[in-house]
mmCIF file of all heavy atoms in Angstrom:
data_model
loop_
_atom_site.group_PDB
_atom_site.id
_atom_site.type_symbol
_atom_site.label_atom_id
_atom_site.label_comp_id
_atom_site.label_asym_id
_atom_site.label_seq_id
_atom_site.Cartn_x
_atom_site.Cartn_y
_atom_site.Cartn_z
ATOM 1 N N ARG A 1 203.867 56.452 278.274
ATOM 2 C CA ARG A 1 205.321 56.307 278.399
ATOM 3 C C ARG A 1 205.724 55.591 279.683
ATOM 4 O O ARG A 1 206.919 55.413 279.911
ATOM 5 C CB ARG A 1 205.982 57.702 278.349
ATOM 6 C CG ARG A 1 205.807 58.404 277.001
ATOM 7 C CD ARG A 1 206.240 59.843 277.075
ATOM 8 N NE ARG A 1 206.170 60.502 275.786
ATOM 9 C CZ ARG A 1 205.065 61.020 275.244
ATOM 10 N NH1 ARG A 1 203.918 60.942 275.931
ATOM 11 N NH2 ARG A 1 205.087 61.601 274.072
ATOM 12 N N ILE A 2 204.755 55.204 280.500
ATOM 13 C CA ILE A 2 205.036 54.551 281.794
ATOM 14 C C ILE A 2 204.104 53.385 281.942
ATOM 15 O O ILE A 2 202.919 53.460 281.620
ATOM 16 C CB ILE A 2 204.869 55.532 282.948
ATOM 17 C CG1 ILE A 2 205.845 56.709 282.835
ATOM 18 C CG2 ILE A 2 205.080 54.819 284.289
ATOM 19 C CD1 ILE A 2 205.539 57.833 283.797
ATOM 20 N N THR A 3 204.613 52.270 282.458
ATOM 21 C CA THR A 3 203.782 51.113 282.789
ATOM 22 C C THR A 3 203.551 51.101 284.304
ATOM 23 O O THR A 3 204.497 51.116 285.074
ATOM 24 C CB THR A 3 204.460 49.794 282.380
ATOM 25 O OG1 THR A 3 204.648 49.785 280.964
ATOM 26 C CG2 THR A 3 203.620 48.592 282.779
ATOM 27 N N SER A 4 202.291 51.080 284.701
ATOM 28 C CA SER A 4 201.944 51.052 286.144
ATOM 29 C C SER A 4 201.476 49.666 286.548
ATOM 30 O O SER A 4 200.702 49.038 285.819
ATOM 31 C CB SER A 4 200.871 52.079 286.462
ATOM 32 O OG SER A 4 201.361 53.393 286.445
ATOM 33 N N VAL A 5 201.945 49.220 287.694
ATOM 34 C CA VAL A 5 201.509 47.942 288.269
ATOM 35 C C VAL A 5 201.103 48.232 289.710
ATOM 36 O O VAL A 5 201.830 48.932 290.440
ATOM 37 C CB VAL A 5 202.635 46.882 288.238
ATOM 38 C CG1 VAL A 5 202.212 45.645 288.995
ATOM 39 C CG2 VAL A 5 202.972 46.529 286.790
ATOM 40 N N PHE A 6 199.971 47.708 290.104
ATOM 41 C CA PHE A 6 199.486 47.897 291.500
ATOM 42 C C PHE A 6 199.786 46.619 292.295
ATOM 43 O O PHE A 6 199.449 45.521 291.863
ATOM 44 C CB PHE A 6 198.010 48.200 291.523
ATOM 45 C CG PHE A 6 197.684 49.573 290.981
ATOM 46 C CD1 PHE A 6 197.527 49.775 289.620
ATOM 47 C CD2 PHE A 6 197.544 50.655 291.841
ATOM 48 C CE1 PHE A 6 197.227 51.024 289.107
ATOM 49 C CE2 PHE A 6 197.256 51.909 291.338
ATOM 50 C CZ PHE A 6 197.077 52.106 289.977
ATOM 51 N N MET A 7 200.456 46.808 293.431
ATOM 52 C CA MET A 7 200.834 45.675 294.263
ATOM 53 C C MET A 7 200.029 45.719 295.562
ATOM 54 O O MET A 7 199.822 46.775 296.156
ATOM 55 C CB MET A 7 202.326 45.742 294.578
ATOM 56 C CG MET A 7 202.853 44.500 295.265
ATOM 57 S SD MET A 7 204.661 44.514 295.381
ATOM 58 C CE MET A 7 204.977 42.975 296.214
ATOM 59 N N TYR A 8 199.595 44.531 295.993
ATOM 60 C CA TYR A 8 198.724 44.415 297.165
ATOM 61 C C TYR A 8 199.357 43.481 298.181
ATOM 62 O O TYR A 8 200.351 42.827 297.891
ATOM 63 C CB TYR A 8 197.355 43.886 296.715
ATOM 64 C CG TYR A 8 196.694 44.738 295.668
ATOM 65 C CD1 TYR A 8 196.822 44.420 294.320
ATOM 66 C CD2 TYR A 8 195.966 45.881 296.010
ATOM 67 C CE1 TYR A 8 196.238 45.207 293.335
ATOM 68 C CE2 TYR A 8 195.375 46.671 295.054
ATOM 69 C CZ TYR A 8 195.507 46.332 293.716
ATOM 70 O OH TYR A 8 194.931 47.124 292.735
ATOM 71 N N PRO A 9 198.775 43.407 299.384
ATOM 72 C CA PRO A 9 199.281 42.409 300.339
ATOM 73 C C PRO A 9 199.182 41.000 299.759
ATOM 74 O O PRO A 9 198.523 40.754 298.760
ATOM 75 C CB PRO A 9 198.333 42.581 301.537
ATOM 76 C CG PRO A 9 197.860 43.990 301.442
ATOM 77 C CD PRO A 9 197.719 44.254 299.973
ATOM 78 N N MET A 10 199.815 40.072 300.429
ATOM 79 C CA MET A 10 199.868 38.682 299.960
ATOM 80 C C MET A 10 198.471 38.071 299.943
ATOM 81 O O MET A 10 197.660 38.298 300.854
ATOM 82 C CB MET A 10 200.787 37.849 300.833
ATOM 83 C CG MET A 10 202.229 38.340 300.834
ATOM 84 S SD MET A 10 203.309 37.427 301.955
ATOM 85 C CE MET A 10 203.453 35.880 301.080
ATOM 86 N N SER A 11 198.192 37.283 298.924
ATOM 87 C CA SER A 11 196.942 36.549 298.822
ATOM 88 C C SER A 11 197.055 35.253 299.601
ATOM 89 O O SER A 11 198.140 34.866 300.080
ATOM 90 C CB SER A 11 196.626 36.246 297.361
ATOM 91 O OG SER A 11 197.608 35.345 296.816
ATOM 92 N N PHE A 12 195.937 34.547 299.743
ATOM 93 C CA PHE A 12 195.965 33.255 300.431
ATOM 94 C C PHE A 12 196.873 32.275 299.709
ATOM 95 O O PHE A 12 197.601 31.484 300.327
ATOM 96 C CB PHE A 12 194.539 32.698 300.531
ATOM 97 C CG PHE A 12 194.465 31.375 301.221
ATOM 98 C CD1 PHE A 12 194.932 31.206 302.504
ATOM 99 C CD2 PHE A 12 193.874 30.283 300.579
ATOM 100 C CE1 PHE A 12 194.866 29.948 303.157
ATOM 101 C CE2 PHE A 12 193.789 29.043 301.204
ATOM 102 C CZ PHE A 12 194.287 28.882 302.486
ATOM 103 N N VAL A 13 196.875 32.331 298.369
ATOM 104 C CA VAL A 13 197.740 31.452 297.579
ATOM 105 C C VAL A 13 199.200 31.760 297.892
ATOM 106 O O VAL A 13 200.007 30.853 298.089
ATOM 107 C CB VAL A 13 197.443 31.617 296.073
ATOM 108 C CG1 VAL A 13 198.530 30.931 295.225
ATOM 109 C CG2 VAL A 13 196.083 31.043 295.730
ATOM 110 N N GLU A 14 199.532 33.046 297.918
ATOM 111 C CA GLU A 14 200.925 33.425 298.240
ATOM 112 C C GLU A 14 201.286 33.063 299.672
ATOM 113 O O GLU A 14 202.461 32.801 299.984
ATOM 114 C CB GLU A 14 201.106 34.922 298.025
ATOM 115 C CG GLU A 14 201.055 35.359 296.579
ATOM 116 C CD GLU A 14 201.149 36.864 296.419
ATOM 117 O OE1 GLU A 14 200.252 37.551 296.944
ATOM 118 O OE2 GLU A 14 202.116 37.346 295.794
ATOM 119 N N PHE A 15 200.322 33.050 300.564
ATOM 120 C CA PHE A 15 200.539 32.689 301.968
ATOM 121 C C PHE A 15 200.879 31.200 302.106
ATOM 122 O O PHE A 15 201.722 30.825 302.927
ATOM 123 C CB PHE A 15 199.267 33.019 302.756
ATOM 124 C CG PHE A 15 199.204 32.478 304.156
ATOM 125 C CD1 PHE A 15 200.045 32.949 305.144
ATOM 126 C CD2 PHE A 15 198.317 31.452 304.481
ATOM 127 C CE1 PHE A 15 199.981 32.466 306.441
ATOM 128 C CE2 PHE A 15 198.239 30.964 305.771
ATOM 129 C CZ PHE A 15 199.087 31.458 306.755
ATOM 130 N N LEU A 16 200.259 30.358 301.284
ATOM 131 C CA LEU A 16 200.492 28.901 301.406
ATOM 132 C C LEU A 16 201.893 28.498 300.959
ATOM 133 O O LEU A 16 202.470 27.563 301.499
ATOM 134 C CB LEU A 16 199.451 28.129 300.577
ATOM 135 C CG LEU A 16 198.021 28.125 301.093
ATOM 136 C CD1 LEU A 16 197.103 27.363 300.133
ATOM 137 C CD2 LEU A 16 197.952 27.518 302.488
ATOM 138 N N THR A 17 202.453 29.217 299.993
ATOM 139 C CA THR A 17 203.751 28.828 299.442
ATOM 140 C C THR A 17 204.874 28.867 300.502
ATOM 141 O O THR A 17 205.594 27.871 300.669
ATOM 142 C CB THR A 17 204.113 29.696 298.227
ATOM 143 O OG1 THR A 17 203.097 29.523 297.235
ATOM 144 C CG2 THR A 17 205.441 29.276 297.637
ATOM 145 N N PRO A 18 205.090 29.989 301.237
ATOM 146 C CA PRO A 18 206.152 29.970 302.234
ATOM 147 C C PRO A 18 205.883 29.039 303.407
ATOM 148 O O PRO A 18 206.809 28.691 304.133
ATOM 149 C CB PRO A 18 206.234 31.456 302.679
ATOM 150 C CG PRO A 18 204.912 32.017 302.389
ATOM 151 C CD PRO A 18 204.448 31.312 301.115
ATOM 152 N N LEU A 19 204.610 28.627 303.559
ATOM 153 C CA LEU A 19 204.303 27.649 304.595
ATOM 154 C C LEU A 19 204.769 26.257 304.194
ATOM 155 O O LEU A 19 204.768 25.335 305.007
ATOM 156 C CB LEU A 19 202.798 27.615 304.865
ATOM 157 C CG LEU A 19 202.197 28.691 305.775
ATOM 158 C CD1 LEU A 19 200.702 28.492 305.913
ATOM 159 C CD2 LEU A 19 202.858 28.692 307.146
ATOM 160 N N GLY A 20 205.123 26.084 302.934
ATOM 161 C CA GLY A 20 205.538 24.786 302.428
ATOM 162 C C GLY A 20 204.367 23.900 302.047
ATOM 163 O O GLY A 20 204.500 22.672 301.965
ATOM 164 N N GLU A 21 203.210 24.527 301.804
ATOM 165 C CA GLU A 21 202.008 23.775 301.490
ATOM 166 C C GLU A 21 201.774 23.723 299.982
ATOM 167 O O GLU A 21 200.657 23.919 299.483
ATOM 168 C CB GLU A 21 200.783 24.376 302.190
ATOM 169 C CG GLU A 21 200.845 24.328 303.709
ATOM 170 C CD GLU A 21 200.685 22.915 304.257
ATOM 171 O OE1 GLU A 21 200.349 22.017 303.445
ATOM 172 O OE2 GLU A 21 200.896 22.733 305.468
ATOM 173 N N ASP A 22 202.811 23.443 299.238
ATOM 174 C CA ASP A 22 202.701 23.424 297.772
ATOM 175 C C ASP A 22 201.765 22.312 297.265
ATOM 176 O O ASP A 22 201.041 22.533 296.299
ATOM 177 C CB ASP A 22 204.104 23.247 297.144
ATOM 178 C CG ASP A 22 205.018 24.423 297.442
ATOM 179 O OD1 ASP A 22 204.581 25.552 297.217
ATOM 180 O OD2 ASP A 22 206.152 24.191 297.894
ATOM 181 N N LEU A 23 201.799 21.145 297.900
ATOM 182 C CA LEU A 23 200.932 20.068 297.449
ATOM 183 C C LEU A 23 199.479 20.369 297.714
ATOM 184 O O LEU A 23 198.598 20.067 296.879
ATOM 185 C CB LEU A 23 201.349 18.757 298.129
ATOM 186 C CG LEU A 23 202.774 18.269 297.820
ATOM 187 C CD1 LEU A 23 203.072 16.972 298.555
ATOM 188 C CD2 LEU A 23 202.928 18.058 296.318
ATOM 189 N N LEU A 24 199.195 20.970 298.878
ATOM 190 C CA LEU A 24 197.796 21.371 299.175
ATOM 191 C C LEU A 24 197.353 22.446 298.184
ATOM 192 O O LEU A 24 196.220 22.404 297.685
ATOM 193 C CB LEU A 24 197.703 21.887 300.595
ATOM 194 C CG LEU A 24 196.350 22.476 301.019
ATOM 195 C CD1 LEU A 24 195.259 21.395 300.927
ATOM 196 C CD2 LEU A 24 196.411 23.080 302.409
ATOM 197 N N LEU A 25 198.236 23.376 297.894
ATOM 198 C CA LEU A 25 197.914 24.437 296.947
ATOM 199 C C LEU A 25 197.594 23.873 295.576
ATOM 200 O O LEU A 25 196.655 24.313 294.905
ATOM 201 C CB LEU A 25 199.097 25.420 296.861
ATOM 202 C CG LEU A 25 198.938 26.595 295.882
ATOM 203 C CD1 LEU A 25 197.720 27.404 296.227
ATOM 204 C CD2 LEU A 25 200.194 27.486 295.943
#
């Protein structure tokens, strides 16, 4: 009756996005 999702710290991929490194990613 419940859906569980586990959330973790940011990955390296998630780290590159706010750095503006989308093309490198």
Side-chain angles (χ1 to χ4, degrees):
R1 295 169 176 83
I2 299 169
T3 298
S4 286
V5 173
F6 290 84
M7 189 172 180
Y8 303 95
M10 299 176 72
S11 65
F12 180 57
V13 169
E14 290 177 299
F15 169 70
L16 288 178
T17 301
L19 279 181
E21 296 290 350
D22 295 310
L23 297 179
L24 174 62
L25 179 57

